[in-house]
Amino acid sequence: MASGNASLRAEVEDAISARPTVTDIHGDSHYSQLAQKIWLDKNKPPRVQPKVVKEELWDRLEQDGFAFGKLLLLEQSQVLEAYLWPGFSEDSSNYHVLLIALMINVKRRENVPSWDLLADKSSELSVLFRRIWSMTVDPSLSLPVQTHLLTFVIGAFQSLDNGLVRRECAPLVSISIWHNLHSDGVREKKLEANPSLKKAWRAAAKRYDAADEPTKVKLRFERNWLFTLMLGFLDKISDDKQLMSDNNLLYCERFLELLIDLQSQLPTRRYVNSLVQDLNFLTIIRTSPYYWQEDHGLVRDLVNLLQHFTHFPIDDQTGQQFSTVEYHQKHDARLSNFQRLIIKRYQSKLKILALSNLGSVDNNEETSSDLESLSDDDLKELCAEFGLRTSYPSSSLIVQDRNIVLRILLSSLGRYSTFQEAIKEMPILPTDAMLYEDSFVRNAEYTGSRPLAIPKINLQYLSMGDFLWRSFILHRSESFYEIRNHVEDTVKRMQPQVTGLDTRFEGFSRLALPIAKPAILEVTPAKVGDSKPAIVRAEVILDVQRLNPGIRKEWDTLRPDDVVYLVAVDAAASAMNNGHSHKRVRNALGITHIRCAEVLQVQDEKGRPLREYQAEAADGHERKVRQRRIILKLDAAAYSEDIKGSASGASGIYESINLLVRRKARGNNFKPILESIRRLTLSDIPVPSWLQEVFLGYGDPAAATYKRLSNRLKSIDYRDTFLDWVHLIESLPGKIIEPSEEAKSSFGPPYVLETLATKTEQEQPRPSKKRRRDQEDAPKPAGTETVQVSTYKPPNTGPYPTDAPRLNSVRFTAAQIEAISSGTQPGLTVIIGPPGTGKTDVATQIINNIYHNFPSQRTLLVAHSNQALNQLFQKIVALDIDERHLLRLGHGEEELETEASYSKHGRVESFLENGARYLIEVDRLARSIDAPGAHGNSCETADYFNLVYIRPLWKQYWDVVATGTQDAQQIIEAFPFHAYFSNLPTPLFPNNASREEVVDIISGCYRHIEKIFSELEDIRPFEILRNARDKANYLLIKEARIIAMTSTHAAMRRQEIAALGFHYDNVVMEEAAQITEIENFIPIALQNPQELKNGSASGKREKDMPLQRVVLVGDHLQNSPIIQNPAFSQYANLEQSLFLRLVRLGVPTILLDAQGRARASLAELYKWRYPSLQNLPAVLTQPEFQTANAGFRYEYQFIDVGDYKGKGESQPQPHFIQNLGEAEYAVALFMYMRLLGYPASKISILAAYAGQRALIRDVLAHRCRNNRLFGMPRAVSTVDRYQGEQNDYIILSLTRTTRPGYLRSLRRLTVALSRARLGLYILGRRAVFEAVPELQVAFNLLFQRPATLRLVTGEMYPTTRLIDDEVGEGIEMTGVEHLGQYVYKMTQAKVEAIKKGEGTMPPAEKVIVGDDDDDAVGGVEEELEDELDEPEGVE
């Protein structure tokens, strides 16, 4: 065990230290010199030489043990794209093939594009795959080489979204592999069960019979490939000589990973699962000594995961998931068949077993005892009759004795728990035993060199239950990882020291306080059917007298249900260094126990609830605060286990607890989220039936789009979407526009568009299956669509200015109109919005159209961040949407820049305020018609007044108007509400108005008065309901039609919201590419399904989600969801959003193709990521985009920053990367801009790493914060947190000076380059980024300009100089010291000028210094602690 742990630690350390630096890439190493000499020499095209491939590359790599650092150095030297692949052909050597496979593996591990590099030669790609398939079953190759090839195979089967890769992989897992089932009878039974299988089997046989001999050889190889690999694996684990082989262990782990991948996706599982079960694969593994080796824990975990997928409750052919009851019923039927077989053949010997209850039959011990009466031959015969394989090839190393046959039979009779039963027992609150369990520690130390026993997120799921199970497992593991890191970091800051027999804390953390042992107050008996106490209440006392008021307030604001962590730290404990690094850290810190608890109440030192105490202290006198008492609800399950597992009971553990740790609320919401996921997993919540197959990844990717749905809308009122007729024509290119029959020529909006059927949409003959297969990836021709346009006269909404509707003023592009049209239609809409293309405007207009076209429907608006949600919500507020129908849930509502409050309680107050205002209007209306009585007392009296006075009066008046005999003047004279409308700013009826105009004005008056009473009718329930909570809930489920919340809020409150009966019809998600899949799913499942009216064909009472539309808006080429642990983000692919997966699956998307954010030249820096991206006319014509940046020669520049005081990047803490030179440069550049007059609010400073952000804030606090000349920039943020934001001028610090780090990610680079509108100044080390091939397109543009900052003198902001004006090269700033001196002299001159009265101080500006904390400009140490829950900068 110790040796295994030592090798794992060596892998971790090697993976960290072996990553090549810039010096390595350009240095004197063998591979660097070879690259410069052979394939990076631009003077001569590279030509592949077999000797170089074999001796200089392959042999050297083999000598180095295929060290990842060497492989990465070769990959970054572009050996694949510049040498190996261009020179590959059918005649290439095996070493050439192997090197290509190795480089593909490295690229996939680094998460950089791989298969696209090979797409230019599809025929050679087929050759490459065939060669690799053959080599994987070649026993002459060494185990390390076979393992690398297996890794390539795994990568291929994870990339089935690539058509070329899918074409090569599919034959290896087709129905032909059933030739390897152990008997024809077993195969025939499977074929008989499903007619489509029989058809597929006959088609495969026919294809084989019709093939020529070379093709038959190829087909035989394909159908035997997996079977050969599986037998080879079983031999490897059955070979006693391989028990201690590390190479054999790595191969076996990778092979299990491959099988898990195949079993976890329906298209590959469909036939593979039968082969796995036929081979008794899991049983053979579990009976081998290899499985039980002490240091083979990962193998055991992988086998358990393989068992989960192998026995997943699903029909392998149809994909139908079985319920827990159905699954066990099927197993019971199998046991009954077994008993019938015994009665028929072995009744005399197995009579007791034949008559036993089913629970006894699947009990291995009892059944094994009963089967002892059978001879070896009888036992084999029984297995054969039961459809089980009992023999293997004679060359196999599998031990084929009675014991293995017995184990095979017993395994087939065993009952397996379903995933719902397993997940129900999984605790959500962790203990130290869970946090330091071997599998979790392995996940934390992932380097990519070995697989992990965790489920992956890829293209498809087996079922909705499978999706939810994987999500729960991964999010639970990620949460535990964050908790463990947080506790370790906090304890480290507390600096536990030994004092006598006790532990004393010499350090400090704002997130932890030393405590005496918690006092157990109450342990209530367990509920019926449960074994743990119903509740365990405890009390801890906090000494807060030495805390500053800010930190004490943080402790005071602990809320009920917040999770805190009770930690036992024993500094005297022996700091053993054995085991994994996390266990070493635990031992070194003396952490002995960790328990979770939930806050019930925070009390003052006298035991009074803190709110009451604070209310008493509101008299202005500050009282001395000494203690706080926190009443906790302990983890009852852990407490129960503690009692059972300890001789001294739980008291021994809880008496040793001496530290209370908390986390920031932002990162401590794991419990309600995991509870929501678990409840969904245990329920039968579906996605809408029209979306389910697409969501799971099967069937036609376009099946959920409106063009394929039966409820497609034929006609839509686009209201203010189009500004005029020309806009309409421009927005529908390629379509035939026909005015309606009533209109003879063009006319103005509003427009109602009706799509007429096209020829291609009518029935066409269905092509044969072969033709469909051959043309699978070919685009389908689209017919010319005809759109009939009509209009109508919008109703007069009233005579007051406030009655006028608010209209859209955005001139949408054709792509935006397509997105709006699709989003207004029912179905799934996926909108890709590159930077600055108006994603938010499009989403807003979709919501506006749905609101007005479907008055009875409700829309749920979701975004990842409060910031994005508020931006979208503010635009909705500005449209013609009644504010009483708007609701914003969650804590970000207070940041809304609107006059009204849109929170639940704010909306209730607004309703009541509006009610009071309308009741005043009712009184005024009553006085205007001389109606006696107090009609404005309440909504009820107002309704009575309307029924008795107003409606009859209107009816009488409209009857007179309807006769048609009165002229305009007579109608005006008869109007009964002259007095009421006498307060208009202008006369109600203009002079010489026609009869039609007068009637229209009167209709507006009618609607104005009617609105008063309709709104009072909506307000009336709020008068009746007395409880504030009831009012808020009524608002949510009855009144609000547009409800906005973050994805996190939806996940936390899912059960609570659904239980209220909340119902909605549409979901619009902003930032959908930044949200994990489960966060995408929960808003879709935020309501309970409704029973279908017509039922199902089977007669079952089925339920479905009543959703009409799902609109996803995002950009998968920018940042993905941020996951802290690389094991979950890279290996498990948890960072994949539903948005990205749908794009990978080929779901039709709409790309917004015109940007209006940045100068055209700045957009060029990221346009290569969006080839069709154009510039809006405003970008090319508006003065701000044509004017130069005052004081700068260029509007963008890459500034090569060298070492400052002899240092480049540094790491004061792991992953906390800083660069003092770039920090000083960024601040000096900001000071220079401020001295020229640039507003601070128009400048943001971004850093690639959280550590650099902290350092920049520190330098700003020292040089600028308290100086009116400079002040603070609008934001100092990381690139990741600034996604979705923009500013006129961006100063960007790339930080790294040795290697590119995570900036090699194209997504992050895209975000970094697209935040600036007018000016972008990048600080970095040129040598680092010019060596990265993926980034060269962008950096080549940057490197075309000088690498030193060039300034223009004699200018102040704003300048009149145009961007193309010739001003020479400008003044060169040779380094940070030069710029610093220059700024210092400018500052001195500015101060002198102000003293002489020749200048003025700049106005004070309110700016946002940080993006997450009120005290963001603190020291680096404080910032380090603030980053405990932040993932930026983790690689």
Side-chain angles (χ1 to χ4, degrees), residues 321-548:
Q321 179 181 308
F322 304 127
S323 68
T324 300
V325 172
E326 290 171 334
Y327 181 71
H328 289 309
Q329 284 175 346
K330 287 181 178 294
H331 181 70
D332 291 343
R334 180 173 173 80
L335 296 182
S336 298
N337 289 337
F338 178 69
Q339 288 183 309
R340 282 193 288 270
L341 175 62
I342 291 173
I343 292 172
K344 181 179 177 182
R345 299 293 304 273
Y346 305 98
Q347 184 175 4
S348 60
K349 295 182 179 180
L350 300 175
K351 187 173 183 180
I352 295 177
L353 184 60
L355 299 177
S356 298
N357 60 58
L358 298 182
S360 299
V361 177
D362 64 22
N363 183 304
N364 281 355
E365 293 184 5
E366 293 184 18
T367 304
S368 176
S369 176
D370 292 336
L371 291 172
E372 288 181 359
S373 60
L374 293 182
S375 67
D376 291 357
D377 291 338
D378 285 344
L379 188 60
K380 287 186 178 180
E381 186 179 348
L382 174 60
C383 289
E385 298 246 2
F386 199 48
L388 300 175
R389 179 194 290 265
T390 58
S391 62
Y392 296 86
S394 57
S395 59
S396 172
L397 298 177
I398 300 171
V399 178
Q400 302 180 45
D401 55 11
R402 177 186 177 89
N403 179 61
I404 194 70
V405 175
L406 181 61
R407 291 297 129 200
I408 288 171
L409 179 57
L410 293 177
S411 295
S412 71
L413 299 175
R415 186 183 300 273
Y416 298 94
S417 298
T418 65
F419 67 94
Q420 288 117 324
E421 291 170 322
I423 210 171
K424 195 173 183 180
E425 301 302 319
M426 287 186 181
I428 287 176
L429 295 176
T431 64
D432 55 284
M434 298 175 202
L435 295 178
Y436 292 97
E437 197 268 329
D438 283 348
S439 61
F440 279 108
V441 173
R442 273 197 299 270
N443 297 343
E445 297 175 347
Y446 174 74
T447 65
S449 59
R450 300 173 76 173
L452 295 171
I454 54 177
K456 297 178 184 175
I457 304 294
N458 197 14
L459 281 174
Q460 299 159 328
Y461 298 101
L462 297 177
S463 66
M464 290 307 303
D466 176 41
F467 158 68
L468 291 164
W469 177 83
R470 295 192 209 192
S471 298
F472 179 82
I473 296 297
L474 292 175
H475 282 272
R476 177 176 178 264
S477 300
E478 168 76 355
S479 298
F480 285 10
Y481 171 82
E482 293 173 3
I483 290 168
R484 182 178 58 212
N485 284 356
H486 176 82
V487 170
E488 288 177 354
D489 193 279
T490 305
V491 173
K492 183 179 178 182
R493 293 176 186 283
M494 295 298 294
Q495 299 176 19
Q497 303 292 332
V498 178
T499 305
L501 298 177
D502 298 326
T503 296
R504 180 182 177 85
F505 296 99
E506 301 290 345
F508 173 76
S509 169
R510 65 195 301 169
L511 298 171
L513 284 175
I515 59 172
K517 64 179 182 181
I520 306 298
L521 302 179
E522 178 186 20
V523 180
T524 60
K527 295 180 179 178
V528 177
D530 205 348
S531 59
K532 64 180 185 295
I535 187 170
V536 181
R537 292 173 62 246
E539 179 190 65
V540 295
I541 298 176
L542 306 181
D543 182 358
V544 297
Q545 59 184 335
R546 296 183 181 180
L547 298 181
N548 70 44

Side-chain angles (χ1 to χ4, degrees), residues 1112-1132:
L1112 304 179
V1113 185
D1115 182 6
H1116 61 293
L1117 298 182
Q1118 295 188 60
N1119 278 345
S1120 56
I1122 297 173
I1123 306 299
Q1124 290 198 37
N1125 190 342
F1128 306 126
S1129 63
Q1130 298 170 18
Y1131 181 82

